[in-house]
Amino acid sequence: MVLETVPVEYYMVLSAAVFCAGLFGVLTRRNALLFLMSVELLLNAANINLVVFAFYWGEITGQVFALFVIAIAAAEVAIGIGIILVLQRNFGDVDVTDATTLRW
């Protein structure tokens, strides 16, 4: 019995769709939580590409890079949540356009 694999092009289309959704969210959202979620979508699109091409070429390098991206994304969320808490505490809202008033 021969198992057929999913072509790489399908994964590329999926990755492009996730990336476009994340880019749309980054460019249009003003809420800091939705902004962070959109950045996570961008990073997950990159992870899809890394894992798919690692599988396609038969190497593990892409999967190792994907693990590093996941670790960086976790650190980014931890710092981002701290910034969001400061915005909420100081302004009562998590609108990213209010952050310009935090300057000296």
Side-chain angles (χ1 to χ4, degrees):
M1 180 171 163
V2 176
L3 294 176
E4 303 233 355
T5 61
V6 178
V8 175
E9 292 84 12
Y10 292 173
Y11 290 111
M12 296 297 294
V13 169
L14 173 68
S15 176
V18 171
F19 188 84
C20 288
L23 187 64
F24 177 76
V26 165
L27 295 176
T28 60
R29 300 295 178 194
R30 294 174 61 177
N31 189 338
L33 288 173
L34 294 176
F35 187 82
L36 278 176
M37 288 172 47
S38 298
V39 170
E40 291 294 323
L41 283 175
L42 293 173
L43 293 173
N44 283 331
N47 279 341
I48 291 172
N49 281 334
L50 288 170
V51 170
V52 166
F53 283 122
F55 178 73
Y56 181 73
W57 292 105
E59 294 185 7
I60 197 165
T61 309
Q63 293 177 3
V64 171
F65 277 119
L67 287 175
F68 283 130
V69 171
I70 290 170
I72 289 170
E76 175 253 334
V77 167
I79 292 171
I81 293 295
I83 293 171
I84 289 171
L85 288 174
V86 169
L87 282 173
Q88 177 66 33
R89 189 174 299 153
N90 289 341
F91 300 109
D93 193 17
V94 289
D95 190 3
V96 292
T97 58
D98 290 339
T100 57
T101 58
L102 287 175
R103 290 188 236 159
W104 292 96

